[in-house]
Amino acid sequence: MNQQDDMNLCTDQSIMNNINPVTCLGITFANDADRRAYFTNVLREKLQDSEFCKIGGFPIGSDEDILNLSDPPYYTVCPNPWITEFIAEWEHKPKQFEGHNYHREPFAADVSEGKNDPIYNAHSYHTKVPHKAIMRYLLHYTQPGDIILDGFCGTGMTGVAAQMCGNREEVLSLGYQVKADGAILQEEIGEDGTKVWTSFSRLGERRAILSDLSPAATFIAYNYNRRIDVMAFEKKATHILEQVEKEYGWMYDTLHVDGKTKGKINYIVWSDVFICPECSKEINLWNESVDEIQRCVNDIFSCSQCGAELSKKKMDRAWVTEYDDVIKKTVKVAKQVQTLINYSVGTKRFFKKADEHDIKLYERIKGIKFNTNVPSDLLPDGFNTRQPIASHGVTHAHMFFTRRNLAIISYIRSYIDLTSNIGSTLLFWINAANRNLSRLSKLGTGNYFGGGGGAVNAGVLGTLYLPSFSVESSVIKMMKERLPKLARVMANLGESKNIITTQSSTLLSAPDSSFDYLFIDPPFGSNINYSELNFLWEVWLGPKTNIIEEAIENSIQKKGINEYRQLMTLCFKEAYRLLKPGKWMTVEFSNTKAAVWNSIQTALAEAGFIVANVSMLDKKLGSFKAVTTPTAVKQDLVISAYKPNDGFEERFKQEAQTGEGILDFVRTHLKYLPVIKRHKGLIQFIPERDPRILFDQMVAYHVRKGYTIPISSQEFQFALAQHFIERDGMYFLPDQAAEYDQKKISSGEATQLSIFVYDEASAIQWIRQLIKLKPQTFSDINPQFMQQLGGWSKNESKLDLRELLNQNFLCYDGKVDVPEQIHAYLSTNWKDLRNLLKDDPILRAKAQDRWYLPDPNKAGDLEKLREKALLKEFVEYKQAKKKLKVFRLEAVRTGFKKAWQERDYNTIVTVAEKIPNNVLEEDPKLLMWYDQAITRMGAV
Ligand SMILES: C[S@@+](CC[C@H](N)C(=O)[O-])C[C@H]1O[C@@H](n2cnc3c(N)ncnc32)[C@H](O)[C@@H]1O
């Protein structure tokens, strides 16, 4: 067959509706192909500029490959030079609903909502936030026409969400109401406790700029963020499949067990082969370990020749040395053989063992020379890429495929003209199935034996493990099945084009303060090595990820937690520059180590963001719990951070280190915090309004800006009490307090935050909450306290409860009048103690030995005493010659704070180097002092 003739016969030009004039960035073209050709030429010239090619994260690939895959100016497989122009164009358009008094509270929604959506499933990725989840964020924070940035866009779901905010059906599917005028309403609890629908957003598309380091990611994002001629796509794809069937359909022929009837292969299970250590017989793992009667795989089994007891661990692999005509070299690879075949005769499916016909057929296929381009790139050295090399000798990209599937996929690939409008979608269609068509795909023996269907899966996600029972699925069958599903998805995508750039988000060419909202879902430390896993897609695309600025922890890339933090800090600094003042950024953060969590927190603060809320998604309860402790990171978290508005930053420069500067900070910060949080109708405690957390925020802000802290914790709390309004242990602005009071009347009592005790600071917080509700004696507190100590950090010296109480709280001795707090508790909870005066002997007796919270006016003395004791311990740490294994974290924190005030950065660094790395990395406060001290020392 002459492929070229065939392509001409069915050119995209003839079937595409590409005849209407289009206007792009102010230029009108006769049709879209002209638009693309014009901007491709501009980009071609740009690629000659060596400075342009030095931009961080510039992909690895030839100019032609980059130009082929790009669709400029919308999508470039390199830094997109038109971002600024698009932003100017978008900004220029009057926004119908622009609010001058933009005010939003932090928001957190289920980031896994919508995982069954066909859009979500059209192309997999190693981690993905469904567009439906992101839509909730966009509807909360933005208005139609607002400009959004996702700097770690992966598959571009933020762009899809931005389009879908204009799709009435999609918005309704989230459980909102949409009015005829476009107002979007959500259900809330009204002041009288009943449910009411209130307007909170408007229907209309938002505009998105999407950036990712990986060409595989931006390629997927591009295909999710454009409108194509779906009929033309389906027609072309169907035509390709017909050609493949004609040319290569015989490769999936097999014989039914009757030895006569022809069947079509659905998939083949290839089994690893080992050598029996006793008799040297070749062991086909499937044949010898699978018990078809008991329907299970045995871990231990016997050699069918000598009877020796065998297990996978006891045996060496069988290796074959063969000539690889793709790389023109002799290679040594682990032996895998066709073993089990699933095939169809008509509509009926059968299983059989591979027979001689199947073996001969494959030998014939192996003999056919490729006349198409086959990706043969050498695997880059990496954490995941080492796995298939070690286990199966798979050193090059093509080796991830059987010869049959490689021939067919590369044949389809050779049909695709990327410069045509639907070319990219065709490639998307095959790349989406890439992993399932490769040798990574495996037989899930649980489902196979259980008979529940879905026996074949895509292998161990997030890795490049080659399974022992690898599956070769029919390309023709799979692509046929996927086609109508993908066509439906493509038909439902929005009209507008979002802009996509391939580069590192450490530096983006867009003007300062140009985005209304940022949604960020960054890599989480060492969880997933995106560039390594994306390699298998990128070999089919051309350009590859430039890993230099990949924000991950990966020992082979020589990136530890510090390098990760530094890269994330650069990305957040850039995000900070790009966000409009007073606007929000959401950072989605998944389950991982506390050190990575702290790196993200530190990087955020370092960049200038102020965190207003961290919510943990409790999937079991389907609710959000506020989190205050880094060690409690066990689930998906959503961080809401804002960029303070210009007015505040300016004022702070003048007022820093004065009382007014601090009050201004608190006043501004309180405005961004939620006034009320409910769970199951009950009002929740908001930790960000807690005086100690407000103090920590204020300190962090001063330190990052390079100022000394002008006030002690005690003075701060005193100032808070004087200038703001306290409710249930939280601080509010006057109008917020009024709102809180009103809502509380209709909602019932505030529930208390349950604190996880793991160190001295959290223990103090826990006791504070306990005795605030109920002043009690040592013998009452002690058993409750003991129960809390299970999670105590191993490096933190154990503290006696007595010592904690003595240093932080007061005990009523029965000699003077009963303190107000105890009096209030006893007279409300004990009928017979009601209306008794504070000096009544009965009341005094009942109150004696109860611990209570110090009055803010007197608490200062207590704090000074405690600080003295802590500093004494810190001096010991300073003088210690050896590394510190167990110590008091509070003493180190207090010591660091004092050293900072005295500009004694050397002490901070010296003591920091004596404490275990993980403790430093897992404590945001210590990390902050240490980072800052290192920076200052560098600057001296
Ligand atoms: C968690 S994934 C994002 C997934 C995305 N939210 C989705 O729904 O598909 C993180 C992404 O960050 C990208 N990445 C890593 N370092 C980067 C950097 N310096 N700049 C931009 N992107 C980067 C990776 O390629 C990866 O696609």
Side-chain angles (χ1 to χ4, degrees):
M1 179 192 50
N2 183 335
Q3 208 173 300
Q4 195 51 48
D5 287 353
D6 181 66
M7 273 193 224
N8 291 339
L9 192 86
C10 192
T11 55
D12 299 343
Q13 289 297 324
S14 63
I15 50 180
M16 275 294 312
N17 179 17
N18 191 15
I19 45 172
N20 295 328
V22 293
T23 301
C24 178
L25 289 177
I27 312 174
T28 301
F29 300 91
N31 54 47
D32 201 50
D34 280 7
R35 180 272 308 163
R36 186 169 181 160
Y38 169 83
F39 284 105
T40 300
N41 273 335
V42 179
L43 189 62
R44 180 172 280 116
E45 273 172 37
K46 196 87 191 139
L47 292 177
Q48 303 312 308
D49 173 354
S50 59
E51 286 307 307
F52 177 66
C53 300
K54 279 189 205 147
I55 296 177
F58 199 100
I60 315 290
S62 70
D63 287 4
E64 274 323 298
D65 277 350
I66 289 173
L67 291 169
N68 262 340
L69 202 62
S70 302
D71 180 9
Y74 305 117
Y75 169 43
T76 58
V77 190
C78 62
N80 190 322
W82 291 282
I83 292 178
T84 302
E85 279 181 63
F86 277 109
I87 291 177
E89 190 170 87
W90 293 341
E91 280 290 2
H92 189 65
K93 292 205 177 114
K95 282 189 205 163
Q96 211 183 334
F97 306 108
E98 182 130 57
H100 292 290
N101 298 319
Y102 177 88
H103 177 76
R104 295 289 187 283
E105 283 189 2
F107 173 77
D110 180 352
V111 286
S112 60
E113 176 181 33
K115 283 201 170 164
N116 292 324
D117 195 279
I119 295 185
Y120 180 85
N121 289 319
H123 200 305
S124 68
Y125 202 56
H126 326 294
T127 57
K128 208 165 158 182
V129 182
H131 76 275
K132 284 212 157 109
I134 308 175
M135 275 176 77
R136 291 194 188 274
Y137 288 90
L138 299 190
L139 292 173
H140 174 83
Y141 284 114
T142 67
Q143 292 291 355
D146 273 1
I147 307 175
I148 290 142
L149 171 71
D150 183 344
F152 298 85
C153 74
T155 55
M157 290 296 114
T158 301
V160 175
Q163 304 165 22
M164 294 301 179
C165 286
N167 181 320
R168 186 178 289 266
E169 296 309 312
E170 285 277 324
V171 174
L172 289 173
S173 78
L174 297 176
Y176 299 131
Q177 287 185 359
V178 184
K179 291 263 173 223
D181 67 355
I184 301 178
L185 280 61
Q186 66 185 350
E187 202 176 27
E188 281 187 349
I189 309 280
E191 278 162 24
D192 59 355
T194 58
K195 288 180 180 166
V196 283
W197 286 93
T198 48
S199 165
F200 76 103
S201 192
R202 301 203 71 89
L203 190 71
E205 291 191 348
R206 280 64 170 161
R207 321 304 302 255
I209 304 276
L210 308 172
S211 170
D212 200 286
L213 196 64
S214 157
T218 57
F219 168 77
I220 304 169
Y222 164 62
N223 279 288
Y224 268 129
N225 281 278
R226 69 195 199 113
R227 203 51 193 250
I228 56 151
D229 182 337
V230 179
M231 270 170 57
F233 160 66
E234 268 193 293
K235 198 167 169 187
K236 178 85 180 181
T238 309
H239 176 78
I240 294 176
L241 285 177
E242 283 163 9
Q243 292 308 317
V244 179
E245 182 66 58
K246 255 195 242 162
E247 194 85 354
Y248 290 129
W250 59 270
M251 290 187 174
Y252 296 115
D253 285 348
T254 191
L255 282 180
H256 188 34
V257 277
D258 64 7
K260 291 182 284 200
T261 319
K262 224 171 112 180
K264 273 282 170 202
I265 294 172
N266 299 315
Y267 65 85
I268 302 168
V269 180
W270 289 72
S271 169
D272 271 349
V273 179
F274 292 86
I275 303 287
C276 170
E278 297 296 325
C279 69
S280 303
K281 176 189 181 264
E282 279 199 353
I283 303 287
N284 174 317
L285 191 68
W286 179 273
N287 288 345
E288 312 247 349
S289 70
V290 165
D291 184 337
E292 290 281 3
I293 296 163
Q294 297 295 325
R295 305 198 63 73
C296 64
V297 183
N298 293 317
D299 290 339
I300 298 171
F301 47 94
S302 29
C303 171
S304 56
Q305 180 160 290
C306 69
E309 188 185 90
L310 301 176
S311 71
K312 229 168 120 176
K313 276 196 195 127
K314 275 192 189 165
M315 300 181 289
D316 285 334
R317 278 181 191 282
W319 294 85
V320 281
T321 304
E322 58 188 19
Y323 181 71
D324 183 325
D325 63 343
V326 176
I327 48 173
K328 307 209 172 359
K329 262 194 207 159
T330 300
V331 292
K332 189 178 163 217
V333 289
K335 188 167 179 179
Q336 278 198 330
V337 290
Q338 303 183 76
T339 302
L340 188 70
I341 298 191
N342 179 287
Y343 63 101
S344 295
V345 177
T347 52
K348 279 199 152 172
R349 290 174 83 117
F350 302 91
F351 275 108
K352 67 163 193 176
K353 282 280 170 68
D355 56 29
E356 224 180 290
H357 170 271
D358 303 308
I359 313 253
K360 278 197 182 141
L361 180 77
Y362 197 67
E363 284 307 312
R364 184 179 152 208
I365 294 168
K366 275 173 84 178
I368 294 176
K369 293 261 165 290
F370 289 116
N371 57 1
T372 49
N373 278 337
V374 171
S376 59
D377 310 62
L378 182 70
L379 292 191
D381 191 18
F383 187 79
N384 298 120
T385 48
R386 283 185 181 181
Q387 295 155 355
I389 300 175
S391 67
H392 288 78
V394 166
T395 50
H396 292 71
H398 66 287
M399 295 163 119
F400 279 95
F401 299 88
T402 61
R403 186 79 177 189
R404 174 171 23 219
N405 280 6
L406 190 61
I408 299 178
I409 299 172
S410 58
Y411 179 79
I412 299 180
R413 174 69 185 85
S414 71
Y415 253 81
I416 297 171
D417 170 14
L418 276 176
T419 60
S420 78
N421 176 287
I422 55 166
S424 192
T425 316
L426 290 167
L427 189 50
F428 179 91
W429 170 55
I430 21 173
N431 248 20
N434 185 42
R435 197 176 162 109
N436 304 65
L437 293 173
S438 76
R439 295 171 63 202
L440 298 175
S441 163
K442 74 174 211 188
L443 189 77
T445 44
N447 277 7
Y448 168 72
F449 291 123
V456 179
N457 62 48
V460 186
L461 298 179
T463 74
L464 294 174
Y465 280 124
L466 273 175
S468 281
F469 302 137
S470 174
V471 170
E472 178 191 15
S473 291
S474 157
V475 180
I476 302 176
K477 183 169 183 296
M478 190 179 289
M479 299 318 297
K480 241 187 221 162
E481 283 170 2
R482 286 176 170 236
L483 183 58
K485 291 184 195 158
L486 180 59
R488 271 199 299 279
V489 166
M490 291 291 160
N492 282 331
L493 295 177
E495 286 292 342
S496 73
K497 288 189 161 95
N498 290 312
I499 306 309
I500 298 158
T501 178
T502 313
Q503 63 183 109
S504 169
S505 290
T506 44
L507 187 72
L508 292 163
S509 63
D512 292 358
S513 306
S514 44
F515 290 88
D516 296 286
Y517 173 62
L518 312 180
F519 183 87
I520 308 264
D521 171 28
F524 310 115
S526 59
N527 271 18
I528 292 169
N529 302 294
Y530 291 91
S531 59
E532 295 184 31
L533 302 173
N534 287 357
F535 174 80
L536 217 54
W537 280 317
E538 289 173 354
V539 292
W540 294 97
L541 301 176
K544 318 254 169 1
T545 307
N546 177 339
I547 59 167
I548 295 173
E549 294 192 9
E550 186 174 20
I552 54 167
E553 256 186 284
N554 178 313
S555 51
I556 295 153
Q557 288 189 18
K558 299 202 168 38
K559 288 178 192 152
I561 189 83
N562 287 334
E563 287 70 22
Y564 170 71
R565 190 171 63 249
Q566 279 154 13
L567 280 163
M568 284 312 304
T569 304
L570 289 176
C571 290
F572 284 142
K573 279 192 171 155
E574 187 62 348
Y576 188 85
R577 177 183 77 77
L578 294 170
L579 186 63
K580 289 182 182 167
K583 300 260 170 140
W584 289 90
M585 172 170 77
T586 300
V587 182
E588 127 79 346
F589 184 84
S590 276
N591 173 18
T592 184
K593 294 184 290 186
V596 178
W597 159 245
N598 280 324
S599 293
I600 291 276
Q601 294 264 31
T602 311
L604 276 171
E606 188 80 5
F609 283 106
I610 301 186
V611 174
N613 183 251
V614 179
S615 287
M616 174 171 70
L617 177 65
D618 182 338
K619 282 187 179 137
K620 268 196 214 121
L621 297 174
S623 68
F624 286 94
K625 283 183 180 170
V627 245
T628 47
T629 68
T631 45
V633 179
K634 293 203 172 58
Q635 285 177 309
D636 282 347
L637 293 168
V638 176
I639 304 173
S640 309
Y642 64 89
K643 170 173 174 174
N645 61 34
D646 276 342
F648 172 69
E649 295 253 280
E650 278 311 304
R651 286 196 311 274
F652 192 78
K653 275 186 206 148
Q654 315 295 325
E655 300 164 344
Q657 289 173 293
T658 67
E660 191 37 45
I662 287 162
L663 293 178
D664 199 0
F665 175 86
V666 177
R667 211 175 289 123
T668 311
H669 184 53
L670 288 179
K671 270 190 217 156
Y672 286 91
L673 302 183
V675 172
I676 207 127
K677 262 194 195 172
R678 284 196 188 86
H679 177 53
K680 293 192 174 162
L682 282 178
I683 292 181
Q684 302 286 295
F685 184 80
I686 300 167
E688 289 78 14
R689 291 189 177 273
D690 181 291
R692 281 157 298 275
I693 293 187
L694 286 170
F695 180 69
D696 287 349
Q697 287 279 23
M698 187 275 296
V699 169
Y701 193 77
H702 276 75
V703 171
R704 312 263 176 221
K705 296 273 166 192
Y707 298 118
T708 52
I709 300 114
I711 168 173
S712 75
S713 158
Q714 202 44 53
E715 288 161 339
F716 178 78
Q717 292 194 30
F718 193 66
L720 273 187
Q722 275 192 321
H723 294 90
F724 301 96
I725 297 175
E726 195 259 357
R727 292 284 185 271
D728 298 324
M730 301 178 278
Y731 276 94
F732 293 88
L733 295 170
D735 55 334
Q736 293 178 330
E739 187 186 336
Y740 181 80
D741 289 344
Q742 202 177 36
K743 292 193 168 156
K744 197 175 156 185
I745 294 169
S746 59
S747 295
E749 280 303 303
T751 55
Q752 289 296 318
L753 166 83
S754 57
I755 290 166
F756 178 65
V757 175
Y758 61 98
D759 66 359
E760 183 175 349
S762 53
I764 295 170
Q765 222 180 335
W766 182 85
I767 300 171
R768 188 184 301 275
Q769 291 224 345
L770 185 82
I771 61 175
K772 188 174 173 202
L773 283 177
K774 180 184 175 189
Q776 44 197 301
T777 63
F778 177 83
S779 50
D780 287 335
I781 301 170
N782 200 32
Q784 301 175 66
F785 184 67
M786 298 308 281
Q787 282 173 18
Q788 299 293 321
L789 296 180
W792 196 262
S793 169
K794 68 177 187 317
N795 298 104
E796 176 85 10
S797 44
K798 287 248 165 54
L799 281 174
D800 181 38
L801 175 62
R802 275 249 183 251
E803 202 177 333
L804 280 178
L805 288 168
N806 280 331
Q807 286 185 359
N808 299 283
F809 305 100
L810 296 174
C811 185
Y812 174 59
D813 58 7
K815 288 185 187 139
V816 289
D817 282 0
V818 175
E820 175 54 37
Q821 195 206 339
I822 306 183
H823 179 248
Y825 167 73
L826 291 177
S827 57
T828 345
N829 291 284
W830 301 77
K831 233 182 184 174
D832 46 341
L833 300 179
R834 232 162 255 169
N835 303 326
L836 294 185
L837 293 175
K838 287 181 181 162
D839 59 355
D840 189 293
I842 301 175
L843 192 74
R844 278 192 185 185
K846 193 81 190 162
Q848 189 162 356
D849 294 335
R850 285 180 192 261
W851 288 89
Y852 64 102
L853 299 187
D855 175 322
N857 297 318
K858 294 177 196 147
D861 296 341
L862 209 57
E863 187 178 282
K864 274 184 207 135
L865 267 177
R866 178 167 181 263
E867 197 175 288
K868 227 167 128 184
L870 290 171
L871 286 175
K872 212 170 131 211
E873 291 201 31
F874 182 74
V875 172
E876 284 171 25
Y877 303 159
K878 200 171 140 185
Q879 288 162 352
K881 295 270 175 295
K882 286 198 222 138
K883 290 240 174 203
L884 302 166
K885 280 202 182 120
V886 176
F887 46 89
R888 236 173 127 179
L889 214 50
E890 274 299 281
V892 184
R893 290 186 188 129
T894 312
F896 278 14
K897 186 169 156 227
K898 179 156 182 283
W900 171 265
Q901 299 285 51
E902 291 165 358
R903 294 188 161 59
D904 180 3
Y905 308 128
N906 198 24
T907 292
I908 298 181
V909 174
T910 321
V911 176
E913 279 164 6
K914 282 188 214 169
I915 62 180
N917 262 350
N918 66 316
V919 174
L920 189 67
E921 281 157 7
E922 289 179 10
D923 190 283
K925 284 186 198 151
L926 292 191
L927 202 57
M928 172 183 83
W929 301 118
Y930 177 67
D931 268 1
Q932 293 292 327
I934 291 273
T935 315
R936 308 277 155 206
M937 278 170 75
V940 174

